[in-house]
């Protein structure tokens, strides 16, 4: 949802060449803010053959002259991407710019309808005349339908539309089912309508409530994590659940790989709650196949209200071949941490 | 974050650093300081050392302490932190420390340091671990962490790691004393990412309050662990996961 505004933010902040020219004053101030005077000390260089009190060196150094900047293009790009951390400077939707009933609320970007067609009811003919027809490139004309099946805690997809089903939902015995977090995400973006067993439409509030109700293997936090990763284009599935199965089991134990076995073993050994391993993530991949997904790119471990314990962090260390990411979902933020072991080299 | 090795501050800096390895300069410092008559005196929580030009230069080159600005051309004053003082005294065995006109040696100096700061053993253990690998260690107060470490002199290279030292208060404790709530983690990462440093967590393992100096050195180990934040929006395409975990 915030993808669009974030992209905008990044472009703005990258300050392309010509813009930099215009805003030299501001960029110098901004730069000096980042190289905040007292967080990075000016170190007098004792290795310089010139006078010992060459404090000037420090200032010149920090101005990072053109040719030096050129010498390290890779590094400065990395450094830049580092400094332009995606959520360090949130783009805030300004509610004062719109009236409450304004239809142009760009809070969620282009994934939710921002332009709406208008029609006027003509009682005489019992029809409405379309007065404003909005033709959107991304208009969701393809809305899938699914019916909730309480027995299995999932919905069966009864009308499949659009290409997103390649990376969403699980196949069991040739039928397509989806979990509540998948439903929640698709319903939010208007790609799916959920019906209950009595064929009544279930609104977002009901869907959200089901997400948070831990009965269905999801929680409000895991839903937020799911939504965050999905909206960035990742392929997200429940941990250790096969994407596709031919026989008629909904929650089978098969489909494990050597990696997940190792992980499961360590979890038991360390007495960690396995329920924390929530998702298997694959990087965005146009060739993804449910019948042969391959090993996940990483596995998400959802952490509670305190940072991961030493035991849990130890899990990452013990399962080096399985890339584990620890996920913290707070009220307004989803962040991921990793605790790789390092070994500082002995320097000459 | 993925750091592509040391970030030198200028074109010749890597060259200078390679031609003058820190271990060599430290060896020179050891000789010079051993032969010096100067002794360090406690001043506040730090230690003050009067130096002559040769010693001044070597202390600067090895980046021990801070040189205080004086108008005196020959004699300079250096301000050394407790860890630096004890390291020079005990590990490098070249610094004399004088308190109340008495030279304190080893255990006595150790007890003196401990009496002023009960966490001194833990921080010293971490400091010693880093310095003995020839990394340059400075206090990291300005970055909101315990130490920042440099591959060579801070004037030549940017620091790569911001260090947080952790320990268990008692043997039976499950968790360490630091990073107890989420904002601690976020804070460390946030502060350090802004200045392009990776966060390094040093766990002093096996420490007990009752340990004497020899016991501290023999029975504790220091475990190194990086704390990184993964940004899914920047890593979609072909970032090497193996590299990230390296």
């Amino acid at each position: 949802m915030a993808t669009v505004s974030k992209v905008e933010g990044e472009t703005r902040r990258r300050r392309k060449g010509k813009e930099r020219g215009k805003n030299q004053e501001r960029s110098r101030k901004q730069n000096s803010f980042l190289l905040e005077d007292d967080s990075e000390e000016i170190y007098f260089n004792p290795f310089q053959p010139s006078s010992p009190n060459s404090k000037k060196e420090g200032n010149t150094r920090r101005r990072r002259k053109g040719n030096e900047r050129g010498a390290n293009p890779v590094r400065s790009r990395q450094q830049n991407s580092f400094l332009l951390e995606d959520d360090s400077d949130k783009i805030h939707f300004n509610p004062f710019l719109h009236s409450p009933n304004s239809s142009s609320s760009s809070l969620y970007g282009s994934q939710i309808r921002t332009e709406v067609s208008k029609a006027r009811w003509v009682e005489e003919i019992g029809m409405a005349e379309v007065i404003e027809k909005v033709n959107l490139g991304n208009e969701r004309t393809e809305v899938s339908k699914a019916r909730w099946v309480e027995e299995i805690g999932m919905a069966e997809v009864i009308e499949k539309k659009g290409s997103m089903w390649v990376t969403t939902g699980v196949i069991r015995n040739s039928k397509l089912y989806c979990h509540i977090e998948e439903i929640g995400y698709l319903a939010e973006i208007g790609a799916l309508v959920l019906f209950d067993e009595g064929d009544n439409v279930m609104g977002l509030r009901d869907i959200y409530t089901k997400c948070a109700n831990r009965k269905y293997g999801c929680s409000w936090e895991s839903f937020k994590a799911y939504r965050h990763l999905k909206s960035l284009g990742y392929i997200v599935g429940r941990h250790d659940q096969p994407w596709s199965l031919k026989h008629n089991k909904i929650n089978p134990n098969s489909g494990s790989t050597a990696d997940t076995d190792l992980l499961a073993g360590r979890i038991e050994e360390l007495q960690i709650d396995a329920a924390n391993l929530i998702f298997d993530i694959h990087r965005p991949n146009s060739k993804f196949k449910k019948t042969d997904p391959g090993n996940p790119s990483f596995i998400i471990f959802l952490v509670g209200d305190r940072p991961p314990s030493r035991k849990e962090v130890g899990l990452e260390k013990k399962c080096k071949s399985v890339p584990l990411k620890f996920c913290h979902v707070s009220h307004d933020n989803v962040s991921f941490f990793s605790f790789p072991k390092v070994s500082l080299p002995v320097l000459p | 974050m993925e750091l592509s090795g040391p970030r030198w501050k200028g074109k010749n800096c890597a060259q200078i650093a390679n031609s003058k390895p820190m271990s060599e300069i430290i060896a020179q410092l050891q000789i010079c300081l051993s032969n010096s008559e100067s002794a360090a005196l406690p001043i506040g929580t730090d230690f003050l050392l009067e130096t002559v030009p040769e010693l001044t230069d070597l202390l600067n080159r090895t980046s021990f302490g801070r040189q205080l600005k004086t108008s005196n051309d020959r004699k300079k004053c250096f301000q050394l932190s407790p860890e630096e003082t004890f390291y020079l005294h005990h590990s490098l065995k070249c610094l004399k420390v004088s308190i109340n006109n008495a030279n304190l040696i080893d255990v006595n100096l150790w007890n003196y340091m401990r009496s002023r700061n009960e966490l001194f053993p833990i921080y010293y253990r971490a400091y010693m671990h880093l310095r003995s690998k020839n990394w340059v260690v400075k206090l990291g107060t300005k970055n909101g962490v315990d130490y920042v470490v440099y591959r060579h002199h801070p004037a030549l290279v940017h620091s790569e790691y911001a260090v947080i030292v952790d320990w268990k208060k008692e043997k039976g404790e499950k968790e360490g004393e630091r990073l107890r709530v989420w904002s601690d983690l976020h804070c460390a990462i946030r502060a350090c990412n802004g200045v392009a440093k990776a966060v390094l967590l040093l766990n002093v393992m096996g420490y007990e309050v009752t340990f004497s100096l020899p016991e501290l050195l023999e029975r504790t180990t220091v475990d190194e662990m990086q704390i990184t934040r993964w940004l899914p929006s920047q890593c979609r395409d072909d970032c090497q996961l193996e590299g990230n975990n390296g």
Side-chain angles (χ1 to χ4, degrees):
Chain A
M1 55 172 193
T3 322
V4 170
S5 48
K6 274 177 189 166
V7 168
E8 280 176 10
E10 277 174 33
T11 327
R12 167 174 60 78
R13 287 211 244 106
R14 219 167 273 142
R15 269 189 273 112
K16 291 173 195 148
K18 40 189 171 171
E19 281 180 33
R20 196 188 291 134
K22 273 191 235 160
N23 287 327
Q24 245 167 23
E25 179 60 41
R26 202 175 51 176
S27 62
R28 210 183 307 130
K29 274 202 200 141
Q30 214 161 330
N31 272 343
S32 67
F33 181 58
L34 290 167
L35 301 176
E36 211 174 271
D37 209 37
D38 53 47
S39 70
E40 189 168 307
E41 258 186 69
I42 306 175
Y43 279 96
F44 135 66
N45 185 347
F47 296 93
Q48 290 287 71
S50 55
S51 83
N53 287 323
S54 48
K55 287 271 156 121
K56 300 179 268 186
E57 310 275 4
N59 287 329
T60 331
R61 167 176 54 80
R62 278 227 246 109
R63 223 164 275 140
R64 268 198 270 114
K65 289 179 191 144
N67 47 359
E68 273 182 31
R69 197 188 292 135
N72 288 330
V74 177
R75 223 160 273 155
S76 58
R77 207 188 311 132
Q78 266 185 356
Q79 213 170 325
N80 274 343
S81 65
F82 204 42
L83 293 166
L84 300 176
E85 207 177 277
D86 68 339
D87 51 354
S88 64
D89 208 352
K90 274 193 142 88
I91 315 289
H92 287 275
F93 158 64
N94 185 345
F96 298 97
L97 290 179
H98 306 279
S99 65
N101 298 317
S102 161
S103 61
S104 63
S105 79
S106 49
L107 178 60
Y108 295 108
S110 62
Q111 285 182 324
I112 291 187
R113 251 176 252 291
T114 52
E115 288 176 63
V116 179
S117 302
K118 295 196 178 120
R120 186 178 289 111
W121 184 254
V122 185
E123 181 63 30
E124 227 170 26
I125 52 171
M127 289 202 286
E129 182 190 352
V130 178
I131 42 180
E132 236 176 83
K133 194 170 90 167
V134 180
N135 208 349
L136 300 168
N138 59 351
E139 179 173 275
R140 217 169 276 287
T141 48
E142 306 180 320
V143 179
S144 305
K145 294 197 181 124
R147 185 181 293 112
W148 184 254
V149 183
E150 182 65 31
E151 202 177 33
I152 53 167
M154 293 207 282
E156 183 189 344
V157 181
I158 45 184
E159 235 176 83
K160 190 173 104 163
K161 298 252 175 83
S163 56
M164 70 232 171
W165 294 107
V166 177
T167 55
T168 315
V170 292
I171 299 173
R172 296 287 182 265
N173 207 24
S174 308
K175 285 195 190 173
L176 183 63
Y177 294 92
C178 50
H179 291 291
I180 189 65
E181 64 271 12
E182 297 172 310
I183 295 167
Y185 172 70
L186 293 174
E188 266 188 347
I189 60 172
L192 176 75
V193 174
L194 181 69
F195 296 93
D196 67 10
E197 272 149 339
D199 274 344
N200 303 311
V201 174
M202 290 176 70
L204 267 179
R205 195 187 62 181
D206 295 329
I207 296 174
Y208 286 152
T209 312
K210 275 193 154 45
C211 281
N213 180 347
R214 288 161 191 261
K215 212 161 69 164
Y216 307 111
C218 184
S219 65
W220 188 234
E221 286 72 33
S222 63
F223 168 66
K224 284 201 260 194
Y226 177 88
R227 177 175 62 187
H228 182 86
L229 290 166
K230 264 310 254 197
S231 63
L232 289 171
Y234 287 88
I235 299 166
V236 188
R238 284 203 182 175
H239 175 63
D240 225 6
Q241 266 210 5
W243 287 91
S244 167
L245 268 190
K246 292 209 177 112
H247 34 279
N248 205 0
K249 283 193 208 162
I250 300 297
N251 290 316
N253 292 321
S254 57
S256 54
T257 63
D259 276 350
T260 49
D261 281 343
L262 170 68
L263 194 54
R266 290 282 173 269
I267 285 188
E268 216 180 287
E269 203 181 278
L270 294 167
Q271 293 176 319
I272 292 173
D273 190 357
N276 290 323
L277 283 176
I278 50 168
F279 296 129
D280 288 346
I281 311 286
H282 294 258
R283 261 178 270 135
N285 173 12
S286 55
K287 299 196 186 117
F288 180 80
K289 268 192 259 196
K290 285 182 189 172
T291 46
D292 182 24
N295 281 331
S297 307
F298 13 83
I299 299 179
I300 305 294
F301 185 105
L302 185 65
V303 192
D305 61 356
R306 287 296 174 97
S309 67
R310 289 199 175 187
K311 263 200 297 185
E312 289 167 339
V313 168
L315 185 63
E316 180 177 2
K317 202 164 43 169
K318 290 196 174 190
C319 302
K320 266 194 221 164
S321 57
V322 182
L324 209 56
K325 302 281 177 211
F326 292 89
C327 177
H328 175 225
V329 179
S330 66
H331 169 69
D332 61 347
N333 192 32
V334 180
S335 33
F336 299 89
F337 293 92
S338 177
F339 303 92
K341 186 114 176 59
V342 286
S343 192
L344 238 56
V346 177
L347 297 172
Chain B
M1 75 162 277
E2 192 50 40
L3 281 166
S4 58
R7 284 158 45 236
W8 300 101
K9 287 185 175 177
K11 281 189 201 160
N12 319 345
C13 293
Q15 220 177 344
I16 297 174
N18 287 333
S19 64
K20 294 178 169 43
M22 195 45 75
S23 57
E24 267 177 33
I25 317 173
I26 289 185
Q28 291 168 0
L29 171 69
Q30 270 180 293
I31 297 169
C32 182
L33 197 47
S34 300
N35 294 334
S36 161
E37 289 179 359
S38 192
L41 309 169
I43 183 162
T45 51
D46 294 320
F47 290 80
L48 191 69
L49 185 68
E50 254 189 332
T51 59
V52 293
E54 195 201 347
L55 186 56
T56 305
D57 183 48
L58 284 168
L59 280 171
N60 275 325
R61 283 174 179 247
T62 51
S63 199
F64 274 99
R66 291 174 71 106
Q67 185 181 330
L68 299 173
K69 283 190 194 165
T70 53
S71 55
N72 189 323
D73 267 340
R74 255 189 70 81
K75 278 200 168 178
K76 300 286 179 192
C77 278
F78 269 80
Q79 185 183 295
L80 298 167
S81 72
E83 295 96 322
E84 290 173 326
T85 309
F86 199 77
Y87 187 73
L88 288 168
H89 173 82
H90 179 81
S91 281
L92 296 185
K93 302 196 191 307
C94 53
L95 177 68
K96 293 174 270 295
V97 183
S98 172
I99 298 170
N100 296 329
N101 287 322
N103 272 353
L104 285 196
I105 304 171
D106 282 346
V107 176
N108 294 331
L109 182 59
W110 175 255
N111 291 333
Y112 175 80
M113 299 289 196
R114 277 199 70 158
S115 68
R116 304 184 93 208
N117 178 8
E118 63 175 62
L119 295 179
F120 178 74
I122 294 157
Y123 279 93
Y124 178 68
R125 186 66 184 87
Y127 181 88
M128 191 184 99
H129 174 85
L130 295 165
R131 267 287 187 184
S132 60
K133 287 190 178 188
N134 292 319
W135 286 77
V136 172
V137 188
K138 306 301 285 184
L139 278 183
T141 323
K142 289 177 183 172
N143 288 299
V145 291
D146 295 322
Y147 299 120
V148 286
V149 290
Y150 301 79
R151 242 168 228 259
H152 203 278
H153 195 278
L156 301 176
V157 68
H158 287 286
S159 86
E160 283 161 68
Y161 293 102
V163 180
I164 297 178
V165 182
D166 198 4
W167 67 97
K168 283 191 193 176
K169 205 166 177 183
E170 272 154 22
K171 211 170 177 183
E173 285 275 336
K174 270 192 182 174
E175 299 307 320
E177 289 293 294
R178 312 291 300 277
L179 305 177
R180 293 203 129 184
V181 289
W182 276 111
S183 52
D184 292 339
L185 257 183
H186 284 286
C187 179
I189 295 269
R190 181 75 163 96
C192 299
N193 279 3
V195 289
K197 295 183 211 309
V199 181
L200 184 67
L201 187 68
L202 288 185
N203 266 318
V204 178
M205 319 268 275
Y207 173 70
E208 283 173 50
V209 173
T210 53
F211 275 1
S212 63
L213 177 58
E215 282 176 311
L216 174 79
L217 301 175
E218 281 162 38
R219 290 167 64 179
T220 58
T221 53
V222 179
D223 180 62
E224 297 168 358
M225 187 169 75
Q226 210 181 316
I227 302 176
T228 58
R229 192 155 157 221
W230 174 58
L231 297 173
S233 57
Q234 284 181 21
C235 210
R236 263 169 292 187
D237 299 315
D238 43 18
C239 72
Q240 285 305 313
L241 288 165
E242 290 71 43
N244 263 352
N245 281 339

